[in-house]
Amino acid sequence: MISVVVPAHNEAPVIGRLLRSLVSGARPGELQVVVVPNGCTDDTAAVAAGFGPPVEVVDVPQAGKYAAMRAGDDRATGSEVVYLDADVEMTAGDIRRLAEALREPGVLAAAPERVVPTDRSSWPVRWYYDVWQQLPVVREGLFGRGVIAVTGEARERLRAVPDVMGDDLAASVAFTAAERRIVPGSRVIVHPPRTLGDLIRRRVRSVTATTQLQQALPDAVDEARTTKADLIGIVRANPLAAPKLAVFLAVTLVTRRRAKRAVRAGDFTTWLRDESSRTA
């Protein structure tokens, strides 16, 4: 059996989409899905409970992804555990392929290939993601996918990860390149922001989280940073990408300036949530 832990804070509009695809494609007894509504003021728990077995609901009164993941992990009994964000889309077959990869010698953590459908996003958002998805650290890292699968041994390593906003980046740098896999044939759909404003909100949160994690694990985070050579390489490979790179750099400059305010204030708890990606 494979355990799937889904922390969810006010995800009633989208969590049914995810659970439907997991439950409908699962073999009997294959999945244990643990949904952890945390600090919800909507019907997230009721929507999840409506699916019945194999979905279990563990309600946590206080909002917080770190505590929610730990609460779900405490209930997980599978040989492999998949931590999955409620706002992405993934099938049981995709989960199955992640678990199969974890059974390869030396592999402790795995993630699927990322699909970012930007057709409903504004052009600056599309251009930003066109560059972002070409970055080596983005292609190779486990972060930014909303999902990470680990072995039983790796679960203990994740429990040692500090309680930070950037939980996916923290999980990614907890494993060496040899210990992690991006699994071909396993896909996750990550819905991007539709507006430039929501993109900036999401990126400010990301930069703030990265700064927080760097204070705890400076060497590990440095290895996950984008370099000037990475950006130059994109334009050298495709000179027509230069305007898109200009948009990428402009968004990066704005988000770094705004993130500095939160860092100076020591605010590592305000979750700048993108709501546009959660609308139908």
Side-chain angles (χ1 to χ4, degrees):
M1 186 172 62
I2 307 164
S3 293
V4 181
V5 175
V6 185
H9 174 69
N10 289 343
E11 298 287 9
V14 294
I15 195 169
R17 176 183 64 192
L18 171 64
L19 297 178
R20 196 159 29 249
S21 63
L22 292 178
V23 172
S24 63
R27 300 164 182 164
E30 181 179 28
L31 296 184
Q32 173 202 23
V33 182
V34 183
V35 177
V36 189
N38 56 98
C40 292
T41 57
D42 68 358
D43 295 330
T44 297
V47 173
F51 282 84
V55 177
E56 304 176 23
V57 178
V58 180
D59 210 336
V60 175
Q62 185 173 356
K65 189 174 181 181
Y66 187 89
M69 290 179 65
R70 296 300 175 267
D73 191 65
D74 288 341
R75 294 287 288 271
T77 59
S79 302
E80 298 85 22
V81 180
V82 181
Y83 304 96
L84 185 59
D85 285 356
D87 62 332
V88 302
E89 292 186 64
M90 202 168 184
T91 68
D94 294 316
I95 296 290
R96 189 178 303 126
R97 283 182 278 275
L98 292 182
E100 290 169 354
L102 291 174
R103 294 162 195 158
E104 299 175 11
V107 179
L108 298 181
E113 295 178 316
R114 183 194 299 106
V115 178
V116 184
T118 58
D119 53 300
R120 301 177 70 179
S121 299
S122 63
W123 69 265
V125 175
R126 293 197 302 271
W127 282 19
Y128 180 91
Y129 277 98
D130 284 347
V131 173
W132 184 77
Q133 292 190 91
Q134 295 182 60
L135 298 174
V137 293
V138 173
R139 294 198 309 267
E140 299 164 7
L142 303 179
F143 61 87
R145 302 172 195 272
V147 54
I148 178 173
V150 298
T151 64
E153 174 187 350
R155 288 172 68 182
E156 295 306 313
R157 191 180 301 187
L158 283 187
R159 281 185 171 271
V161 169
D163 180 4
V164 293
M165 290 176 66
D167 59 282
D168 57 347
L169 178 59
S172 181
V173 301
F175 303 97
T176 66
E179 293 173 330
R180 61 180 186 251
R181 291 283 186 278
I182 303 301
V183 181
S186 178
R187 304 193 322 158
V188 62
I189 298 176
V190 181
H191 293 278
R194 297 185 184 176
T195 68
L196 179 59
D198 276 309
L199 171 63
I200 290 174
R201 285 170 58 83
R202 183 182 286 194
R203 295 309 303 165
V204 169
R205 184 186 74 209
S206 177
V207 173
T208 305
T210 300
T211 302
Q212 181 191 25
L213 183 60
Q214 186 176 35
Q215 294 174 358
L217 303 169
D219 295 337
V221 174
D222 285 343
E223 294 176 3
R225 286 191 178 278
T226 296
T227 66
K228 291 182 180 179
D230 295 332
L231 299 174
I232 293 171
I234 290 174
V235 177
R236 282 180 175 171
N238 179 17
L240 296 178
K244 296 181 179 181
L245 180 59
V247 170
F248 178 88
L249 292 174
V251 170
T252 300
L253 179 62
V254 170
T255 55
R256 285 182 177 175
R257 285 180 175 175
R258 294 189 182 182
K260 283 182 180 179
R261 302 172 192 169
V263 172
R264 284 197 298 266
D267 182 6
F268 297 112
T269 58
T270 300
W271 190 270
L272 297 176
R273 178 158 147 155
D274 158 38
E275 297 292 350
S276 66
S277 62
R278 289 172 166 83
T279 58

